[in-house]
Amino acid sequence: MTQPTFTLTVRPDQVGVISMDVAGESMNVLKAAFADEIKSLLSEIKNNKDIKGLVIISGKADSFIAGADISMLDGCTTAQQAEDIGRMGQLVFNQLEALSIPLVAAIHGPCLGGGLELALACHARVATTDNKTVLGLPEVQLGLLPGSGGTQRLPRLVGIQKALDMILTGKQLRAAQAKKIGLVDAVVPKSILLEAAVQLALKGKPAARDVKLNFVGKVLEKTPFGRAIVFSQAEKQTLAKTHGNYPAPLKIIKAIKAGVDGGFNKGLDVEAKAFGELCMTSESKALRSLFFATTQMKKETGAGDVQPHKVHKAAILGGGLMGGGIANVTATKAGVPVRIKDINQQGISNAMKYSYSLLEKKLRKRFVTKTEVQKQMSLLTGTTDYSGFHDVDLVVEAVFEDLNLKQQMVADIEANCSEQTIFASNTSSLPIGQIAAKAARPENVIGLHYFSPVDKMPLVEVIAHEKTSAETIATTVAFARKQGKTPIVVKDGAGFYVNRILALYMNEAANILLEGEPVEALDKALVKFGFPVGPITLLDEVGIDVGAKISPILLNELGERFAAPAAFDRLLADGRKGRKTEKGFYLYGAKAKGKKQVDASVYSVLGLNPAAKLSGDQIALRCVVQMLNEAVRCLEEGIISSARDGDIGAIFGIGFPPFLGGPFRYIDQMGAATLVAHLRSFESRFGARFAPSKLLLEKAEQNASFY
Ligand code: NAD
């Protein structure tokens, strides 16, 4: 017999406690199959006249309900089928809400998506003070909307504007924040959660109460005129943010508006229809596949069956921009003590100050307590020699980009650490095999490539060279994951994966610029395509000098298609390195006057007279096909081991539009033959840099896809 998910226990005080525990899952998730179980539970409750009140609580240690099992949507072939799933959820939650006895949700751990929709259908909610307790409706991040009443119940509880904010962003609130906006009724320590919920249930059903609104809030939400402003503003802001690339936010606004204007049932109807339609969109399918890919990746060691060793203590060489960031995530995310070595005291104190400034920001926002700040800072210690290195399990090297220096670092670590100590290099361009060339224990040497700013960028590339051992790979992957990163394991080679596909895309943007297109036109075109920033802004952010340093390496190792436009040397000769020198393509500091403005003098340095001749779509296509073609080449050469890794790497490392699912899913969507046709047409006009890769041609000929 299958184990029931819900068990009802009636206490002597006549409160029934429903405990939810989904067998075989570490977290509770809602499944369509539970509907029947809930139905029979409800009839059992209705028939038991002794029950005066109900509490629903999780039987798991640390999860209330983390969401609905979205894999059930993959079986849907029509919008109607998906809509039916949403309607079933609506029906079950309506029945819960209609119970004549009070029903209280006792929330500890994640209460997300369908989990929060269930809690919203309860008559009251109590949540624990624990950090693990978070409440939110993240469906928008999967290209969906909350399809089981969430778009209707949340605005009624917390107000239209707060509900819009929560549902449109998918943000997660801690219990105290949830209490402040009226989403939960009480916040208590975990030890008394059940008792507090029982007491609330014994008080009886709470009377309907007004949403907490200040004066302006009342004007905006309680008058038709005010509401019209709220919804039209929400639409405007959404379009400005999504550039029309994501259909879910507009449907969310529509569903909330329908419920406000036409009543609860009308709202549910619009919500269900929109849910069904959204499930079928390519955007939601791409976002869901991304979710599954990252979930699946978390289970992989990166080295087959080989298990990682635990990293008890780490060290960072170089406390600069990258070293400071890596030290920070090691202490604050992984909770691992870290020794920072630099050649001078300044480097160490810069790294310490950097971590402290990030922690202070979190303290101000009350994401951490003073004690936590002290504890995390105490994990960071500095040195200008190798004292305290003898028992370090893993060293991340982030010194200057210089092969001799990096080889010296390997020798120093081999002399000062144990035989097992892993040496992970954060080089952006040097082949790891070369860094390991003189190592006594090359099996311990690996690449661990972070992106700047380290605390924000989710991706790391783990680069195994020919002699890297499986243990070293597995341990490095696990270490990166503890730092909160998403690691992809890639093969050694110039530019690895991410910088390689990025370089061709950036070069193409530079070529278009040199044909006379204005800077703004380029940036606008690719932001509209779905990148978080345009290529020229990115160049200013990364540093024009950094690009110039990596370019010749890629050109030497990978061939002519990586030749960067020579005219760019003039920018460096003019002292333009980008934001860090406050001189680049855009104006910075006082000159910018608080606005994003192109520094028009850049055109004369480049000898250009800008005039827009191409459409945004033409610009985007030319840059993007270069990235797509090179991504396929990386797969062909085994730099990445799967299309999935290539998609994750591009989305998390570069910000490739998530709604397209990554380069490979995007190629599958447009068809390899279409991409080949675009490349051929550009090749005939601009030359061999657009020649399609071998694997892409094969896919096109066979009409095959990558997934
Ligand atoms: P940085 O100049 O900010 O910092 C380098 C630090 O290394 C300095 O504090 C310096 O004092 C220290 N250092 C130099 N020699 C040392 C030695 N012998 N022992 C200990 N410390 C020493 O440089 P960064 O931008 O942090 O880059 C570091 C590495 O990370 C480079 O290999 C770079 O290519 C790579 N990287 C940089 C980025 C980026 O966006 N900046 C991104 C990925 C990787």
Side-chain angles (χ1 to χ4, degrees), residues 411-697:
D412 285 4
I413 292 309
E414 289 188 331
N416 288 285
C417 299
S418 83
E419 286 194 2
Q420 282 76 41
T421 306
I422 292 175
F423 182 96
S425 172
N426 179 45
T427 176
S428 13
S429 57
L430 299 165
I432 306 303
Q434 288 181 21
I435 294 175
K438 295 182 183 161
R441 293 185 286 276
E443 65 277 12
N444 292 353
V445 179
I446 193 164
L448 182 53
H449 183 220
Y450 295 82
F451 296 82
S452 178
V454 177
D455 64 304
K456 292 213 176 73
M457 293 296 286
L459 189 81
V460 290
E461 287 176 299
V462 172
I463 308 117
H465 70 102
E466 270 183 357
K467 294 182 183 159
T468 307
S469 72
E471 282 81 8
T472 299
I473 300 174
T475 303
T476 307
V477 164
F479 176 69
R481 226 169 251 151
K482 265 189 96 177
Q483 292 174 324
K485 301 294 166 204
T486 301
I488 56 166
V489 179
V490 302
K491 206 173 83 174
D492 201 9
F496 313 127
Y497 171 65
V498 171
N499 281 347
R500 186 166 154 179
I501 63 169
L502 181 65
L504 280 194
Y505 158 92
M506 300 279 269
N507 277 357
E508 204 49 44
N511 285 324
I512 297 174
L513 181 79
L514 292 173
E515 285 166 23
E517 286 299 317
V519 169
E520 296 96 330
L522 273 147
D523 276 350
K524 224 169 129 191
L526 285 137
V527 168
K528 166 82 186 67
F529 181 79
F531 283 98
V533 294
I536 309 296
T537 299
L538 187 61
L539 199 51
D540 258 6
E541 293 294 328
V542 172
I544 300 168
D545 56 326
V546 174
K549 220 171 156 186
I550 296 178
S551 267
I553 300 174
L554 298 181
L555 176 66
N556 270 341
E557 301 279 328
L558 301 167
E560 267 304 305
R561 67 184 182 283
F562 280 91
F568 268 45
D569 290 348
R570 287 189 230 152
L571 297 174
L572 291 180
D574 187 45
R576 282 176 205 260
K577 291 187 181 173
R579 178 187 283 282
K580 63 185 159 196
T581 51
E582 297 204 346
K583 199 173 174 196
F585 290 96
Y586 284 93
L587 293 172
Y588 297 97
K591 285 186 191 157
K593 298 191 187 112
K595 275 191 291 188
K596 187 165 178 178
Q597 291 183 67
V598 171
D599 179 354
S601 65
V602 77
Y603 294 119
S604 49
V605 175
L606 291 171
L608 295 172
N609 205 353
K613 290 183 285 291
L614 299 175
S615 73
D617 287 350
Q618 286 171 318
I619 293 175
L621 183 70
R622 228 175 104 181
C623 297
V624 170
V625 295
Q626 284 291 61
M627 184 180 271
L628 300 179
N629 192 24
E630 196 59 23
V632 177
R633 210 174 258 123
C634 286
L635 183 62
E636 183 184 309
E637 292 175 13
I639 295 288
I640 43 172
S641 53
S642 64
R644 179 202 71 179
D645 286 4
D647 283 343
I648 297 271
I651 292 172
F652 291 160
I654 299 171
F656 188 93
F659 69 91
L660 296 176
F664 293 93
R665 279 208 186 267
Y666 184 44
I667 299 172
D668 280 357
Q669 207 181 304
M670 73 160 79
T674 308
L675 177 56
V676 167
H678 287 310
L679 286 164
R680 289 282 188 225
S681 130
F682 288 131
E683 188 183 10
S684 67
R685 287 156 61 203
F686 304 108
R689 66 177 186 271
F690 282 98
S693 64
K694 205 170 122 244
L695 180 60
L696 184 66
L697 286 172

Side-chain angles (χ1 to χ4, degrees), residues 316-324 326 341-344 346-348 350 386 397-402 405-406 408-409 412 425-430 449-452 499 542 546:
I316 312 289
L317 301 179
L321 174 74
M322 297 304 286
I326 301 164
K341 189 219 167 235
D342 204 300
I343 30 176
N344 54 45
Q346 190 62 41
I348 299 165
N350 282 350
Y386 287 103
E397 166 282 305
V399 300
F400 303 132
E401 189 77 341
D402 177 290
L405 179 61
K406 303 227 186 224
Q408 182 58 48
M409 295 296 102
D412 285 4
S425 172
N426 179 45
T427 176
S428 13
S429 57
L430 299 165
H449 183 220
Y450 295 82
F451 296 82
S452 178
N499 281 347
V542 172
V546 174

Side-chain angles (χ1 to χ4, degrees), residues 268-290:
L268 283 185
D269 193 45
V270 173
E271 177 189 272
K273 284 209 176 77
F275 182 75
E277 286 161 14
L278 286 171
C279 280
M280 292 297 126
T281 60
S282 61
E283 291 84 358
S284 174
K285 284 180 184 164
L287 293 166
R288 272 147 46 204
S289 73
L290 191 62

Side-chain angles (χ1 to χ4, degrees), residues 30-33 68-76 85 88 288 292:
L30 292 173
K31 303 186 190 214
D69 176 7
I70 54 160
S71 64
M72 59 189 170
L73 300 178
D74 290 347
C76 299
I85 292 180
M88 184 171 61
R288 272 147 46 204
F292 289 127

